[in-house]
Amino acid sequence: MTKPIAVIIGVGSGLSASLARILAPQYDLVLAARSIEKLGDLAQETGATRVATDASDPASMAALFDGLKSAPRVAIYNPSSRVRGPINELDPEQVRQAIEITAFGSFLMGQAAVQKMLGNDLVEGRKGTILFTGASAGVKGFANSASFAMGKFAQRGLAQSMARELHPKGIHVAWVNIDGGIRNPDRSERLDGDTPDSMLNPDAIAKAYLQLINQDRSAWSDELVLRPWVENF
């Protein structure tokens, strides 16, 4: 049988790689990133197709979804960008670019995915699932991180609006608040010997995404908060 298609946008070596691995047994994967050369090993491991995509460019996003063999059943948006610094010193152009990647890119993917998913048949009460990777910055703005807060607040609002519009049409939309640091094998991480699980395990996050994808529509979540057990509330 032909596998349904899952699109993951903003693929690297961390969470998105874990998502690809957990979805690969059930889905025909399409991995999209600005630079796809680094995705060779992951694509071979998961049998995925790689597509070079500028997530903040409407034409590039449209080309990604128009090039799919069939309408996707799952679409996940991971890219985000930030410019750190005092508000009075931020470069407006850099801030604009950061917001375009985090917020406008989310809209572009959401729109393109919905346009395709609406044509899907209902399977177990759904036509498709759209997930946005959020952050605690979408709930509370931090000092010297205005661009990230603006982008994530906008992304969260988009997801809420889409959920209310699309859940009755069979498309499950949810925003996932990653409220803590994620381990990444390509970066040197701070690991506390007394609290070895102080950073979120990307494989554990991926399992939570899969649970969202498989949720019964009688109890769909539109927002999920994931945080390490040692995080201060």
Side-chain angles (χ1 to χ4, degrees):
M1 295 179 63
T2 302
K3 292 181 180 179
I5 292 175
V7 180
I8 304 174
I9 298 176
V11 181
S13 58
L15 170 58
S16 50
S18 293
L19 289 169
R21 294 186 180 102
I22 203 169
L23 293 177
Q26 302 176 43
Y27 292 90
D28 184 0
L29 291 179
V30 176
L31 308 180
R34 187 182 295 269
S35 175
I36 60 173
E37 289 76 14
K38 60 184 179 182
L39 302 180
D41 291 344
L42 181 63
Q44 183 175 11
E45 176 187 349
T46 59
T49 300
R50 296 175 289 168
V51 180
T53 305
D54 180 349
S56 63
D57 178 66
S60 184
M61 186 67 73
L64 168 63
F65 281 87
D66 287 342
L68 299 177
K69 293 181 291 186
S70 61
R73 285 286 174 176
V74 175
I76 302 174
Y77 192 84
N78 285 312
S80 62
S81 180
R82 72 179 76 189
V83 184
R84 297 184 182 273
I87 188 71
N88 57 302
E89 297 179 5
L90 293 176
D91 182 327
E93 180 58 24
Q94 291 181 345
V95 171
R96 183 188 66 79
Q97 292 175 358
I99 294 173
E100 284 187 350
I101 292 171
T102 304
F104 186 55
S106 294
F107 160 76
L108 292 175
M109 186 211 74
Q111 183 183 61
V114 168
Q115 289 172 344
K116 301 297 183 182
M117 287 180 178
L118 285 173
N120 280 335
D121 295 329
L122 285 171
V123 176
E124 296 182 350
R126 64 171 60 80
K127 290 176 176 283
T129 302
I130 298 173
L131 302 177
F132 298 98
T133 299
S136 48
V139 179
K140 53 186 177 182
F142 294 91
N144 298 316
S145 190
S147 67
F148 197 51
M150 286 189 286
K152 286 300 181 183
F153 264 83
Q155 185 187 61
R156 186 186 184 202
L158 169 70
Q160 289 178 352
S161 178
M162 288 178 61
R164 285 167 171 79
E165 176 183 345
L166 296 165
H167 282 191
K169 298 179 180 180
I171 297 177
H172 184 193
V173 181
W175 183 77
V176 185
N177 178 356
I178 308 297
D179 194 8
I182 304 175
R183 293 183 196 159
N184 189 316
D186 284 352
R187 293 200 301 266
S188 175
E189 309 286 10
R190 177 188 61 79
L191 295 176
D192 189 333
D194 295 329
T195 53
D197 298 326
S198 60
M199 302 188 77
L200 288 95
N201 184 331
D203 291 341
I205 299 174
K207 290 179 182 178
Y209 276 60
L210 185 61
Q211 290 172 343
L212 284 172
I213 293 169
N214 293 328
Q215 273 186 336
D216 186 274
R217 68 173 177 177
S218 69
W220 272 351
S221 301
D222 64 358
E223 192 165 307
L224 177 67
V225 181
L226 300 175
R227 62 192 307 151
W229 65 284
V230 295
E231 183 75 18
N232 292 325
F233 287 79

